[in-house]
């Protein structure tokens, strides 16, 4: 008999990198017929397995995983595409009478799925180049003053040297003739009619997480991560400006292969960058008062995740 699951919240199991989300998802899979929608901007890439901590073949055989290996490293994938793909997957999984579980740490993807994205005009390279030339002559504080003349609302929330956002606001006005603030006021974000319940694995001791990140990255090196990056480096169609190569842990080894640093230096830079990523993830998570935070240092955290899920999913 098909279960009626579409009226139940979609659980999102999230947390910083190396917090132990994978083990908890497998504990959930033993209790409920779940399908995992992977919320990760790195595991989408084919041939990038070790450095992304992609679920193993055994793990994927145990429970269905979606949105893995959906892009070649030469391609890109946006938060808007994730929101569209994940929404469709959620409804498909519901139709099968199963439980969709979001799992991952790419917070921009989760924000896009829960809140929607404003449909602002696409960027225009020619306009951007012209604005860059103008800024080189006048300086960004002067550009900020120009922006304030026709979009004072946007200018008021931007610092005079915030070149990226000032340029984007000016670009939108030149493309459309309408201030960015007007776009944001007029467009209501289209939120999907899906209830979400966020379970967040967070460290009570930041030093423990830092040590775990270092240990895990060195284990990736021992498992052959450098060879994985070398295979990417050998491809003439890949370069360090691509989103795939900019992934933490990959771009540092790419710099080593470019001769910019030693392997040991690249490893230390990768560990430091991963710690910075975890810090940004925690900052985003702690801004969400609706999440249920659980200590990832708890040796029984997988059981705690199951108990929390049982509060919103039936256990029959």
């Amino acid at each position: 008999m098909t279960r009626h699951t579409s009226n139940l919240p979609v659980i999102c199991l999230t947390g910083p990198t190396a917090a132990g989300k994978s083990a908890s998802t497998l504990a959930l899979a033993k209790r409920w017929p779940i399908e995992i929608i992977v919320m990760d901007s790195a595991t989408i890439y084919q041939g990038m397995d070790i450095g992304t901590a992609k679920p193993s073949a055994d793990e994927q055989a145990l429970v269905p995983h979606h949105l893995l290996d959906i892009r070649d490293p030469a391609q890109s994938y946006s938060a808007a595409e994730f929101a569209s793909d994940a929404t469709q997957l959620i409804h498909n999984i519901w139709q099968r009478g199963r439980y969709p579980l979001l799992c991952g740490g790419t917070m921009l993807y989760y924000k896009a799925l829960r809140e929607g994205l404003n449909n602002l005009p696409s960027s225009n390279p020619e306009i951007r180049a012209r604005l860059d030339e103008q800024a080189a002559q006048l300086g960004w504080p002067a550009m900020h003053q120009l922006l304030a003349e026709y979009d004072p609302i946007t200018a008021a929330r931007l610092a005079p040297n915030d070149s990226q956002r000032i340029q984007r606001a000016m670009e939108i006005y030149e493309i459309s003739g309408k201030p960015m603030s007007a776009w944001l006021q007029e467009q209501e974000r289209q939120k999907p009619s899906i209830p979400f319940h966020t379970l967040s694995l967070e460290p009570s001791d930041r030093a423990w997480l830092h040590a775990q990140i270092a240990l895990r990255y060195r284990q990736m090196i021992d498992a052959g991560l450098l060879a994985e990056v070398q295979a990417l480096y050998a491809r003439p169609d890949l370069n360090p400006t691509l989103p795939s190569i900019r992934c933490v842990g990959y771009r540092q080894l790419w710099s080593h292969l470019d001769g910019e640093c030693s392997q040991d230096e690249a490893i230390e830079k990768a560990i430091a960058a991963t710690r910075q990523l975890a810090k940004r993830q925690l900052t985003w998570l702690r801004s969400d008062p609706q999440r249920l935070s659980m200590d990832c240092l708890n040796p029984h955290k997988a059981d705690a995740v199951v108990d929390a899920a049982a509060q919103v999913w039936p256990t029959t």
Side-chain angles (χ1 to χ4, degrees):
M1 184 174 68
T2 301
R3 298 173 180 87
H4 296 287
T5 58
S6 58
N7 62 335
L8 299 174
V10 173
I11 290 178
C12 176
L13 180 62
T14 188
T17 185
K21 296 182 288 292
S22 297
S24 296
T25 61
L26 297 179
L28 292 171
K30 293 177 181 177
R31 187 77 170 271
W32 290 277
I34 66 171
E35 296 189 26
I36 298 170
I37 301 171
V38 181
M39 190 176 70
D40 190 296
S41 61
T43 56
I44 61 171
Y45 292 114
Q46 301 157 7
M48 295 174 59
D49 303 330
I50 299 172
T52 64
K54 193 172 293 180
S56 67
D58 288 343
E59 290 171 333
Q60 293 185 49
L62 181 65
V63 57
H65 287 67
H66 301 280
L67 302 185
L68 293 175
D69 299 320
I70 60 171
R71 290 291 186 273
D72 182 87
Q75 299 173 315
S76 61
Y77 187 67
S78 69
E81 288 176 301
F82 171 83
S84 175
D85 291 345
T87 300
Q88 184 62 56
L89 282 165
I90 288 169
H91 288 288
N92 291 346
I93 294 167
W94 274 340
Q95 289 175 358
R96 290 192 284 271
R98 298 173 69 84
Y99 295 76
L101 174 74
L102 290 166
C103 183
T106 300
M107 304 311 172
L108 179 60
Y109 281 8
Y110 195 29
K111 179 179 175 66
L113 176 61
R114 288 199 308 180
E115 302 178 16
L117 294 171
N118 284 295
N119 188 27
L120 297 172
S122 300
S123 62
N124 184 302
E126 293 181 2
I127 291 176
R128 288 200 168 192
R130 178 156 39 80
L131 290 171
D132 280 335
E133 291 177 7
Q134 189 177 1
Q137 295 176 353
L138 302 178
W140 284 107
M143 299 289 280
H144 181 260
Q145 291 178 353
L146 291 174
L147 173 65
E149 294 178 6
Y150 54 82
D151 192 354
I153 295 175
T154 299
R157 64 179 178 82
L158 299 182
N161 283 307
D162 192 345
S163 58
Q164 183 176 358
R165 291 181 174 85
I166 293 170
Q167 181 194 59
R168 178 61 175 148
M170 299 183 82
E171 175 193 38
I172 287 172
Y173 182 76
E174 290 206 24
I175 291 172
S176 67
K178 185 165 64 177
M180 182 177 183
S181 57
W183 278 93
L184 298 179
Q185 289 168 358
E186 290 175 6
Q187 294 177 356
E188 293 186 4
R189 296 181 178 217
Q190 296 183 353
K191 299 181 182 179
S193 56
I194 298 172
F196 292 101
H197 187 73
T198 308
L199 305 180
S200 180
L201 291 172
E202 301 171 20
S204 56
D205 180 358
R206 190 75 63 90
W208 174 90
L209 183 64
H210 287 180
Q212 190 69 15
I213 286 170
L215 173 63
R216 189 172 76 154
Y217 193 75
R218 294 185 186 282
Q219 289 173 338
M220 290 175 175
I221 293 295
D222 292 341
L225 177 56
L226 181 59
E228 188 171 88
V229 179
Q230 286 173 328
L232 299 170
Y233 189 82
R235 286 182 47 172
D237 59 334
L238 301 183
N239 64 75
T241 68
L242 291 169
S244 58
I245 308 305
R246 292 204 307 267
C247 287
V248 170
Y250 284 83
R251 66 173 179 263
Q252 292 80 15
L253 290 178
W254 189 284
S255 295
H256 161 60
L257 296 175
D258 265 343
E260 296 176 5
C261 61
S262 69
Q263 180 175 330
D264 287 343
E265 289 171 333
I267 291 171
E268 291 305 318
K269 288 179 180 180
I271 291 170
T274 308
R275 288 171 175 168
Q276 286 298 311
L277 170 62
K279 181 180 179 180
R280 292 193 299 273
Q281 291 170 317
L282 284 168
T283 298
W284 191 96
L285 286 165
R286 288 168 180 167
S287 70
D288 180 6
Q290 297 181 341
R291 81 195 191 285
L292 176 61
S293 175
M294 290 173 285
D295 188 2
C296 65
L297 274 70
N298 178 359
H300 305 293
K301 61 176 175 263
D303 292 335
V305 168
V306 169
D307 290 343
Q311 300 302 309
V312 294
W313 283 351
T315 58
T316 54

